[in-house]
Every structure is written in structure tokens, then in C-alpha cells.
Amino acid sequence: MRVSIHQPQYLPWLPYLLKIAESDHFIFLDSVDFQKNGLQNRNQVKTGNGPLWLTVPVQQSLGQKICNTPIQNSADWRKKHLQSIKQSYAKARDFSRFESDLDEIFMQEWDNLSALNIELTLQMMRWFDIATPWSKSSEMEATGKASDLVLNLCQEVGATHYISGTGGKDYMILKDFAAAGVEVEFRAPATVEPYPQMYPKIGFVGGLSAVDILFNCGPEWRNYLKS
């Protein structure tokens, strides 16, 4: 069984979802420290003025876990994010197919970052027709740090293979995985050919949230994956 593990991200990019799709089981790693200025509470969409960061405001303290990160709701960030997405993609070819699902999520009140990110990711998985079973590390028994935690999580769900990003080479103790009978597969992020986007005068912008390729290309998004 192939397993992949990653921190919950806000409106994740396409390689994140493709990693889930390649897995037989995916684990949201929400029991580790929240990282400021990362992708756990922000991501980019394309606007008429270029890329725009959408950032979920959070309350942060030292050593705070992602699963315990509260959202700061003093400002109406949900309305702002939804308006920004609609203003950017209302005329995109396939946006109308997904608008009601988007409305439903952003009209809910969210107090916890992990819960928001996971719900958005699950909705995006449905949009991309990804049905991989999943777990949250915060609800599992595995403990440890870095390489030990990853291996323990893999063992808890019965992994025979672990799909890792290339950054895993910097901290993973491969001999421990081999001894446990878990084969590690290092994968670089999937790459995407330039696809039709809104605001073509700006030029193609890569590295955006996966909603960009979905709203612009719909079910044809697979045609732009590099083999």
C-alpha cells in the first residue's frame, strides 16, 4: 500500500492533489508545528493584476500545532477571499460548475485552520475525482519527530511504500524504513504545461492554487500534465 503524508494546506496547488491521487492512503499531518509564512494558511490565485495571496488570519503561539491553530475572525476574511476568487474567475470557462460548492464552504464559520484546510482539500479532491482514503495524524496513535514520526504513521496504516517529496532526503533515516519493510519513493512535484488562463496579457503564471487550472480547464486539466 502506497502512503503519502503532508501538512494540511489552504487551497493547495495541483502537485499536492496529484500526490494524494497516487496514494492508496493519505495522511493529513496536522499534529506538527504551524509554520508562519508557509502555505498552511495562504495560497495564490491569478487576478487581472497578477498573482494574489489569499491569507487566512490566524492566532499563533510558540510550538502551536496545526490542529490547534485558531482562525482570527475579527475581520471578514471569508467574504474577502470569496469575492477575490469570484472577481478573478467569474468569466473562466468552467467556474460556474464549482461556484455553489465554493459558496457553501466560504459561507460556513470556521474557527480552526486544520478543519478548514481539510474540508477545502476534500472538496477539491471531489472536483478532481480523487477518492483516496485519508486520516489525520492528530487522531492517530503514532508519535515521534521527523523521520520517526513519518515511519510510525506509515506503519500504523500498514504502508509498504511511502511517497516522499525530494526534501525528505534531508531528514529521513532510510535504513529505518528499510528495516521496517517500507520502501521510500522520492518524487519531485508534478509539472504542468502552460494552460489557458484568465488575463493572458499578463502571461502564464505557475504555482497557483489548483483551483486555477480547474476553473480554466475543467475536466481537460489532465491534458496539461507533463509525462
Side-chain angles (χ1 to χ4, degrees):
M1 180 171 69
R2 282 180 165 80
V3 172
S4 60
I5 302 171
H6 209 290
Q7 296 94 331
Q9 292 188 349
Y10 182 64
L11 291 170
W13 69 331
L14 185 59
Y16 185 107
L17 295 170
L18 293 177
K19 187 177 182 180
I20 298 176
E22 293 174 354
S23 308
D24 299 309
H25 194 97
F26 178 74
I27 300 173
F28 289 102
L29 187 62
D30 65 340
S31 58
V32 297
D33 290 353
F34 171 78
Q35 296 175 346
K36 186 178 180 181
N37 299 324
L39 296 176
Q40 293 165 11
N41 69 318
R42 63 176 188 162
N43 222 312
Q44 288 182 302
V45 295
K46 187 180 180 184
T47 74
N49 295 317
L52 172 69
W53 284 104
L54 299 179
T55 302
V56 179
V58 298
Q59 300 175 23
Q60 184 184 6
S61 58
L62 186 64
Q64 180 173 284
K65 307 305 180 186
I66 301 171
C67 60
N68 296 325
T69 299
I71 294 174
Q72 175 56 260
N73 284 307
S74 57
D76 196 349
W77 62 270
R78 291 179 294 126
K79 180 179 179 181
K80 180 180 178 181
H81 286 200
L82 186 60
Q83 286 181 338
S84 294
I85 292 171
K86 288 190 174 187
Q87 288 171 358
S88 299
Y89 296 105
K91 296 182 179 179
R93 196 193 75 176
D94 287 84
F95 176 74
S96 61
R97 299 176 56 193
F98 310 103
E99 185 174 9
S100 61
D101 290 336
L102 204 64
D103 286 341
E104 184 175 347
I105 289 178
F106 279 98
M107 287 179 180
Q108 296 180 49
E109 292 187 7
W110 296 98
D111 297 316
N112 179 274
L113 179 65
S114 181
L116 168 66
N117 287 354
I118 291 174
E119 183 57 36
L120 273 170
T121 301
L122 295 178
Q123 180 59 73
M124 294 171 74
M125 287 168 60
R126 290 189 286 270
W127 288 342
F128 283 91
D129 196 25
I130 300 170
T132 304
W134 57 277
S135 303
K136 295 191 290 184
S137 65
S138 61
E139 297 179 350
M140 297 172 66
E141 296 180 0
T143 58
K145 295 182 179 180
S147 183
D148 289 340
L149 175 59
V150 171
L151 177 55
N152 291 339
L153 289 168
C154 284
Q155 290 182 301
E156 186 168 337
V157 295
T160 57
H161 294 71
Y162 172 59
I163 302 174
S164 172
T166 54
K169 296 178 181 179
D170 296 333
Y171 71 91
M172 292 178 63
I173 305 172
L174 298 182
K175 64 179 179 62
D176 290 349
F177 283 78
V182 179
E183 182 178 337
V184 179
E185 302 176 1
F186 291 107
R187 307 272 186 87
T191 52
V192 181
E193 300 277 2
Y195 54 86
Q197 285 182 327
M198 296 292 294
Y199 321 111
K201 291 184 179 179
I202 295 175
F204 180 78
V205 177
L208 303 171
S209 166
V211 299
D212 186 82
I213 192 170
L214 186 71
F215 295 164
N216 282 301
C217 303
E220 297 173 12
W221 65 268
R222 291 184 182 275
N223 296 343
Y224 299 97
L225 294 180
K226 289 185 178 179
S227 58

